[in-house]
Amino acid sequence: MNQITLSLNFFRSNFIYLLSICMPILVIEAVLTTVTLPMGNMDQIEDIQEFLSINLVIVLLLIIPAILFQIGLIGALLLGYTLA
């Protein structure tokens, strides 16, 4: 029970820090979702292949930073929690 109280106190006192490390991930994920949204209406594998052949560079340019930022988020949370 003490861990929940400590976590909530950390969240309250470091809200701006947490928001600043989460915001890049939220933006990248929103853009990636917007780019890949038309794939939801595609039934045929040929349509999906054509869509990915056109947008592959954009998707890769969004996926790689998203993965790196998510890994960095975990490290930043651990670092922030140990320093607080």
Side-chain angles (χ1 to χ4, degrees), residues 51-67:
F51 178 81
L52 286 178
S53 68
I54 295 170
N55 298 317
L56 184 64
V57 174
I58 296 170
V59 171
L60 286 178
L61 286 175
L62 291 172
I63 287 176
I64 293 171
I67 292 170

Side-chain angles (χ1 to χ4, degrees), residues 12-46:
R12 284 186 200 123
S13 62
N14 297 304
F15 178 74
I16 299 300
Y17 171 73
L18 295 171
L19 184 66
S20 67
I21 62 175
C22 290
M23 193 56 65
I25 295 172
L26 293 173
V27 169
I28 289 174
E29 294 292 333
V31 172
L32 187 60
T33 301
T34 305
V35 168
T36 58
L37 194 61
M39 287 179 61
N41 298 331
M42 297 179 187
D43 295 333
Q44 302 296 322
I45 191 71
E46 293 84 13

